[in-house]
């Protein structure tokens, strides 16, 4: 018998097809003792300072302190996990680049720099967002969306100057060189992206009103825009949010928080003021359908593909004050709403983990009452105040199996800037000599023919690591860093 650790992406399809039981989970998830941090070191091994320093760091003279960062916070955007290299990538504007964490050791091990950062004024060699001016909008900062690709192995991230930066990666998932800064004509930030390994394309979104389009870019040694931009002018005032690619349906799905005009060319023959999911065909390079979420007060920002061609919509906190927040599971096949959860909402990025068959939601706008605007007052005289307070949280949903619905598991408090999340998993496979029968069950195990010696045999794979990474800003009582969450024995 041989035991091997596997994280190859080919196993994802197996895990999606053989999801674990939908039995209710015990509420035993929480923050593990580890909280990932690091300090800058001198070249040539310069690594980011995670989290931002409270006082200037002589080793990192260009890194803004927490008080110099936009809104006195850690200015991060989207994160990503690559199961092939077991690396976690975080878009970190304080560090002008991508922080890279080895999930086997929970250590910061690399960095890809050269981004515009928070795009604040530079004072005495340091970006300063507190110079008596309005904080710069996120649409001019970077990095933003981030992902990795295979064949070739590359790191992609959107920047605040309208470009997408592409880095070559070595076998360990660490950058070797900036391969190219790709321009598709956008003047504001390039934001979130999704990768299509079937057609070797990345779909990137330019979400500012000055741009409002998505563009296909080839995944190659010379990444190049493919076809014309797909303009989405009806997203004016709403933006374009998280996309995903569905291998089974061979389509991209893109979260659009709302539409403000009719556009028959994009199948918008009705206003979707509560948002929609746009369906994009990489072959025709056009929007072929839209799934409206009318009447739901969803305004989707996050989007994740789970089992059974289900989509989790991470509904934002943009509904009118006092509205019940929610999260939605939708069929990617026909756009029907399968389930609505009122225990979770106010999300930005959301993630599906095939290792444990759970969805994870970065609910930075969640409140103690579950209502939007809790703890705030309007401008009326006298002001009308919404009871409750902001309680940013990590939300957890068991995605269920073919015989059962998804189920809410737990919400865990995070911090007010925790709008990014990525789940981490690894598999251990045991190979035995003998005749395999080529079947799989629903307990996270697969059995098939062949072993490492080339003989007929049986292999069983089980997830051995399921964790969730969430950036946590510094508070008055706790240090910042990257929180590592999971089931607590």
């Amino acid at each position: 018998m041989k035991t091997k650790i596997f994280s190859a992406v080919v196993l994802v399809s197996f895990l999606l097809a053989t999801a674990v039981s939908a039995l209710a989970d015990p509420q035993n998830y929480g923050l593990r003792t580890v909280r990932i941090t690091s300090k800058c070191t001198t070249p040539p091994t310069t690594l980011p300072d995670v989290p931002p320093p409270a006082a200037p760091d002589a080793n990192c003279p260009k890194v803004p302190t927490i008080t110099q960062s936009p809104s006195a916070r850690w200015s991060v955007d989207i994160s990503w996990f690559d199961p092939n290299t077991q690396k976690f990538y975080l878009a970190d504007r304080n560090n002008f680049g991508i922080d890279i964490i080895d999930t086997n050791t929970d250590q910061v091990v690399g960095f890809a720099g050269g981004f515009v950062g928070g795009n604040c004024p530079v004072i005495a060699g340091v970006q300063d967002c507190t110079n008596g001016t309005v904080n710069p909008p996120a649409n001019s900062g970077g990095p933003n969306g981030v992902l990795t690709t295979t064949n070739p192995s590359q790191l992609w991230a959107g920047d605040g100057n309208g470009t997408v930066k592409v880095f070559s990666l070595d076998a360990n998932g660490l950058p070797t060189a900036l391969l190219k800064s790709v321009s598709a004509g956008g003047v504001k930030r390039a934001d979130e992206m999704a990768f299509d390994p079937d057609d070797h394309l990345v779909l990137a979104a330019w979400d500012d009103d000055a741009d409002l389009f998505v563009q296909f870019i080839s995944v190659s040694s010379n990444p190049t825009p493919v076809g014309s931009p797909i303009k989405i002018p009806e997203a004016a005032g709403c933006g374009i949010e998280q996309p995903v690619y569905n291998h089974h349906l061979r389509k991209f799905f893109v979260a659009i928080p709302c539409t403000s005009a009719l556009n028959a060319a994009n199948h918008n023959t009705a206003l979707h003021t509560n948002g929609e999911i746009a369906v994009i065909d990489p072959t025709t390079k056009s929007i072929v359908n839209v799934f409206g979420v009318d009447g739901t007060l969803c305004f989707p920002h996050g989007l994740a593909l789970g089992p059974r061609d289900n989509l989790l919509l991470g509904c934002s906190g943009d509904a009118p004050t006092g509205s019940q927040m929610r999260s939605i599971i939708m069929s990617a096949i026909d756009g029907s709403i399968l389930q609505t959860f009122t225990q979770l909402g106010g999300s930005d990025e959301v993630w599906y983990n095939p290792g444990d068959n759970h969805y994870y939601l970065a609910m930075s706008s969640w409140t103690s009452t579950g209502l939007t605007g809790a703890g705030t007052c309007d401008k009326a005289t006298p002001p009308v105040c919404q009871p409750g307070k902001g309680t940013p949280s990590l939300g957890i949903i068991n995605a269920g199996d073919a015989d059962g619905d998804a189920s809410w598991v737990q919400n865990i408090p995070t911090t007010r800037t925790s709008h990014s999340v990525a789940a981490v998993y690894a598999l251990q496979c045991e190979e035995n000599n003998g005749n395999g029968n080529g079947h799989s069950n629903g307990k996270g195990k697969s059995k098939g023919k062949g072993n490492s010696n080339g003989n007929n045999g049986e292999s069983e794979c089980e997830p051995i690591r399921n964790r969730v990474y969430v950036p946590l800003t510094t508070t008055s009582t706790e240090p910042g860093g990257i929180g590592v969450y999971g089931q607590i024995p």
Side-chain angles (χ1 to χ4, degrees):
M1 179 178 71
K2 295 186 177 181
T3 301
K4 294 185 177 182
I5 305 298
F6 284 94
S7 57
V9 77
V10 293
L11 290 174
V12 173
S13 58
F14 149 69
L15 287 165
L16 284 168
T18 58
V20 298
S21 170
L23 294 176
D25 292 28
Q27 288 201 349
N28 63 340
Y29 289 76
L31 179 65
R32 294 177 177 271
T33 55
V34 64
R35 189 179 292 222
I36 302 170
T37 61
S38 72
K39 293 290 183 182
C40 284
T41 58
T42 56
T45 57
T46 299
L47 296 178
D49 196 321
V50 177
D57 184 342
N59 291 321
C60 286
K62 292 185 178 180
V63 175
T65 65
I66 195 71
T67 56
Q68 294 168 324
S69 185
S71 302
R73 60 183 173 83
W74 188 7
S75 183
V76 300
D77 201 34
I78 299 306
S79 57
W80 181 264
F81 169 65
D82 187 333
N84 295 293
T85 61
Q86 293 288 294
K87 297 299 188 294
F88 168 85
Y89 301 85
L90 175 65
D92 185 345
R93 300 190 190 108
N94 272 68
N95 284 308
F96 309 89
I98 306 296
D99 307 339
I100 304 173
I101 287 85
D102 186 337
T103 63
N104 292 299
T105 61
D106 289 330
Q107 298 292 318
V108 179
V109 294
F111 182 64
F115 294 81
V116 300
N119 212 9
C120 307
V122 177
I123 301 173
V126 177
Q127 281 194 337
D128 188 345
C129 297
T130 63
N131 190 34
T133 61
V134 177
N135 288 325
N139 63 4
S140 64
N144 303 295
V146 58
L147 56 73
T148 57
T149 65
T150 53
N151 299 318
S153 180
Q154 295 173 342
L155 170 64
W156 293 53
D159 205 355
N161 59 7
T163 65
V164 174
K165 287 182 167 56
V166 184
F167 297 82
S168 299
L169 296 178
D170 64 18
N172 293 316
L174 300 179
T176 58
L178 173 61
L179 185 64
K180 189 174 182 180
S181 289
V182 182
S183 175
V187 296
K188 292 292 186 178
R189 73 169 180 174
D191 196 14
E192 300 190 58
M193 299 173 286
F195 172 46
D196 166 7
D198 296 314
D199 302 290
H200 255 60
L201 294 170
V202 162
L203 182 70
W206 279 258
D207 67 338
D208 187 78
D209 276 4
D211 299 314
L212 290 180
F213 67 88
V214 296
Q215 174 70 58
F216 286 103
I217 304 172
S218 65
V219 177
S220 65
S221 59
N222 182 30
T224 305
V226 178
S228 301
I230 303 172
K231 297 181 180 180
I232 311 179
E234 66 273 19
C238 305
I240 303 170
E241 293 291 336
Q242 191 171 1
V244 296
Y245 177 71
N246 184 322
H247 164 72
H248 175 224
L249 300 178
R250 301 291 289 265
K251 298 291 189 296
F252 284 91
F253 297 81
V254 184
I256 299 177
C258 66
T259 63
S260 58
L262 303 181
N263 185 354
N266 285 347
H267 297 261
N268 275 294
T269 55
L271 289 180
H272 299 298
T273 56
N274 287 178
E276 68 181 27
I277 304 301
V279 185
I280 299 180
D281 188 330
T283 302
T284 63
K285 296 177 177 57
S286 63
I287 295 176
V288 295
N289 206 348
V290 296
F291 299 148
V293 290
D294 306 323
T296 64
L297 297 180
C298 180
F299 308 95
H301 280 216
L303 191 65
L305 176 65
R308 306 180 301 283
D309 289 315
N310 287 348
L311 296 168
L312 172 69
L313 279 59
C315 304
S316 70
D318 294 336
T321 297
S323 300
Q324 173 65 58
M325 287 188 277
R326 65 203 65 213
S327 300
I328 289 171
I329 293 180
M330 169 186 284
S331 168
I333 297 173
D334 59 12
S336 58
I337 294 177
L338 304 178
Q339 286 182 263
T340 298
F341 294 90
T342 56
Q343 304 98 325
L344 315 99
S347 299
D348 191 12
E349 187 179 19
V350 298
W351 194 276
Y352 173 72
N353 179 18
D356 64 6
N357 192 44
H358 282 59
Y359 296 107
Y360 295 93
L361 303 86
M363 306 190 306
S364 53
S365 298
W366 185 244
T367 66
S368 59
T369 61
L371 305 179
T372 56
T376 62
C377 302
D378 63 22
K379 296 181 180 179
T381 304
V384 177
C385 299
Q386 183 68 31
K389 62 180 180 178
T391 55
S393 300
L394 169 66
I396 306 171
I397 296 175
N398 184 324
D401 61 18
D403 299 320
D405 289 338
S407 58
W408 172 69
V409 177
Q410 189 174 354
N411 296 341
I412 304 170
T414 53
T415 59
R416 72 185 182 96
T417 61
S418 298
H419 67 109
S420 174
V421 61
V424 167
Y425 72 93
L427 303 175
Q428 178 173 285
C429 297
E430 295 181 352
E431 296 180 349
N432 301 289
N433 292 331
N435 293 321
N437 57 13
H439 76 270
S440 65
N441 63 27
K443 301 297 184 182
K445 298 180 181 180
S446 67
K447 298 182 179 181
K449 293 182 179 180
N451 62 19
S452 60
N453 296 320
N455 300 320
N456 288 334
E458 179 181 277
S459 77
E460 295 186 356
C461 299
E462 291 202 26
I464 60 169
R465 181 165 61 248
N466 285 298
R467 298 175 182 170
V468 185
Y469 282 19
V470 178
L472 303 172
T473 196
T474 301
T475 69
S476 59
T477 58
E478 292 184 298
I482 299 172
V484 182
Y485 295 79
Q487 285 189 304
I488 306 300

